[in-house]
Amino acid sequence: PSETIFMMFDKLLIVGDGLPRYIGTPDQAMSVLGEGVAVPERNPAEVLMEFVQEENKKDLARNNGAMSATAASSLATSKATPHHFNLDNRLTRDSDSKEISYLATGYHLYVHITRNLLIMKNSKRAVMVAFMRNILVAIWYGCVYFGQTTPHTLASVCYFSQQFICMSNLQAIPVFFSERALFYRERSSGLYTELPYFLARVIVNAGTQVLLVSAYSIIVYSMVGLRDGVASQRFVFFTGVMWFLSIAGYAFSNFIAAMTPNQQSAMNLYSAMFQFFMFFCGYSIPVSEVPTYWSWATHISFARYSFESLALNEFAYEEDDDGVGGTYWLDYWGFNTTTKAKTFAWFVTSVAGFHVVAWAAMKYVSYERR
């Protein structure tokens, strides 16, 4: 870029041979990286590119010689110069050291988290729209179910809540496709692996969902009048399940996007697979009444464990005078043979499994044009 455009950048990341050489502001770059380099009326971007080329040559020369320094000394060097992230040749793609690999992965994770936070900062309107969407849907549900006391009706609040929270992460699919070409290009260049890229997306989204899910849960729980109110442990459990559902929906969206060649196919596949999981959650057809040849579906459905957790949280040990209280409905759905803690543990395990599958899809499935 020209010098004028170069100096307009807020943050600058210079990469050479797959290594981050500098991250910071443009003016600091000239003082840190351009030290000792003559700059007689030259474009600072060109000077910095020459610096990176020289560093690449030095790294290559060091790779051909003996490696006497340790990973600890490298890390100490990087800490001593916070604006100059040259972690020397041992962080190249050919390194066999697990310790160095962990160090590089950690640093790449930090860079990706920073980049995702900057993207989110520049798209505050989208976050605000998502926040208002959660509030409006929560008020809508609260008005529809206000004053309801029938267990089956209250269970429908839980069912539609988990459906809404999962579907609210559908926008992760177009975002992934908008970044996929860049992701393929940077990955093929050896700048980073799939793991830090995926983890950074998950971490930033999980933090955002804390705000969105909390707002939704407070409104719905209080307006509908779910068990024990918002000042109870049951409300905390309800919010926790909603939060895990949100990150499950996000991982599911990333998995579908990584597995499909285009956005239209991804949206169609997401809808079909999501309805499959919801169908076998136990609300439409009780788990105990599912045909034997379909029983496997109830075990792989993450929605079954989330709905079962919410139902146990709301109805466990609850009886009515007419004998059709919460315990009756737990028997009807087939949720009477387990505990809330055990079911929630299975739910968290299924969410973790979704993340592993999504990471594997990013790693082993590629539609990169060669």
Side-chain angles (χ1 to χ4, degrees):
S2 66
E3 181 175 359
T4 302
I5 295 177
F6 176 80
M7 297 306 295
M8 291 174 64
F9 289 135
D10 296 323
K11 281 289 183 68
L12 182 66
L13 173 62
I14 302 179
V15 178
D17 195 27
L19 299 177
R21 302 297 184 182
Y22 172 81
I23 181 171
T25 60
D27 55 339
Q28 289 175 324
M30 294 307 301
S31 61
V32 173
L33 304 184
E35 192 174 85
V37 180
V39 194
E41 299 182 358
R42 292 184 58 195
N43 186 338
E46 296 179 357
V47 176
L48 294 178
M49 289 300 296
E50 290 180 0
F51 171 84
V52 170
Q53 292 173 0
E54 289 299 320
E55 287 297 305
N56 292 343
K57 293 178 182 178
K58 293 178 183 178
D59 282 351
L60 180 61
R62 286 196 292 266
N63 279 330
N64 293 332
M67 294 174 53
S68 57
T70 62
S73 65
S74 175
L75 183 59
T77 301
S78 67
K79 289 181 178 179
T81 55
H83 293 292
H84 185 183
F85 288 94
N86 178 12
L87 300 182
D88 80 32
N89 59 298
R90 286 162 298 148
L91 290 183
T92 61
R93 297 183 295 276
D94 298 327
S95 176
D96 295 325
S97 170
K98 289 185 178 181
E99 183 177 358
I100 299 301
S101 176
Y102 295 151
L103 181 64
T105 300
Y107 178 75
H108 294 157
L109 177 62
Y110 160 77
V111 171
H112 279 293
I113 290 176
T114 303
R115 183 164 77 173
N116 279 275
L117 289 174
L118 288 173
I119 292 174
M120 187 172 67
K121 179 182 177 182
N122 294 329
S123 57
K124 289 182 289 187
R125 178 175 296 181
V127 177
M128 183 58 63
V129 168
F131 181 73
M132 294 304 301
R133 174 204 62 204
N134 280 29
I135 290 180
L136 291 175
V137 172
I139 294 175
W140 174 37
Y141 283 4
C143 292
V144 171
Y145 290 100
F146 184 79
Q148 297 292 329
T149 57
T150 306
H152 191 270
T153 304
L154 294 177
S156 68
V157 178
C158 300
Y159 174 80
F160 287 113
S161 289
Q162 71 174 19
Q163 190 172 31
F164 164 70
I165 290 296
C166 282
M167 290 295 291
S168 65
N169 285 276
L170 187 63
Q171 74 273 9
I173 291 179
V175 172
F176 181 85
F177 276 98
S178 68
E179 297 179 357
R180 189 157 78 169
L182 178 62
F183 165 66
Y184 282 158
R185 183 165 62 250
E186 292 179 340
R187 182 182 62 177
S188 62
S189 299
L191 300 185
Y192 51 81
T193 62
E194 302 80 9
L195 185 60
Y197 174 80
F198 175 62
L199 284 180
R201 288 168 59 89
V202 170
I203 290 172
V204 173
N205 175 72
T208 305
Q209 290 299 324
V210 171
L211 176 64
L212 303 182
V213 168
S214 297
Y216 174 85
S217 299
I218 291 173
I219 295 173
V220 167
Y221 210 91
S222 58
M223 290 188 67
V224 176
L226 294 176
R227 194 171 179 182
D228 295 344
V230 294
S232 64
Q233 292 182 350
R234 295 184 186 277
F235 166 74
V236 175
F237 184 85
F238 176 90
T239 305
V241 172
M242 291 294 115
W243 182 76
F244 273 104
L245 278 167
S246 69
I247 62 175
Y250 187 78
F252 185 51
S253 297
N254 281 275
F255 164 71
I256 295 297
M259 290 291 294
T260 49
N262 54 65
Q263 183 174 323
Q264 183 177 1
S265 300
M267 301 293 278
N268 292 331
L269 183 60
Y270 182 98
S271 300
M273 292 190 66
F274 180 75
Q275 289 304 318
F276 171 85
F277 288 124
M278 293 299 297
F279 186 78
F280 289 102
C281 76
Y283 180 77
S284 301
I285 300 179
V287 173
S288 57
E289 297 181 12
V290 173
T292 305
Y293 51 86
W294 280 109
S295 61
W296 59 271
T298 64
H299 295 292
I300 68 171
S301 173
F302 73 96
R304 176 260 174 96
Y305 298 112
S306 60
F307 178 67
E308 188 173 7
S309 297
L310 293 170
L312 288 166
N313 186 58
E314 184 66 22
F315 304 120
Y317 311 113
E318 184 180 77
E319 291 285 0
D320 284 353
D321 294 337
D322 55 5
V324 289
T327 304
Y328 166 83
W329 285 103
L330 292 178
D331 292 341
Y332 171 76
W333 290 314
F335 298 158
N336 58 328
T337 59
T338 186
T339 64
K340 184 170 71 172
K342 182 178 179 180
T343 302
F344 184 70
W346 278 112
F347 173 51
V348 173
T349 301
S350 67
V351 173
F354 257 136
H355 286 76
V356 173
V357 170
W359 164 78
M362 287 187 180
K363 182 175 179 65
Y364 297 109
V365 179
S366 177
Y367 293 95
E368 184 176 9
R369 295 181 179 179
R370 300 184 182 279

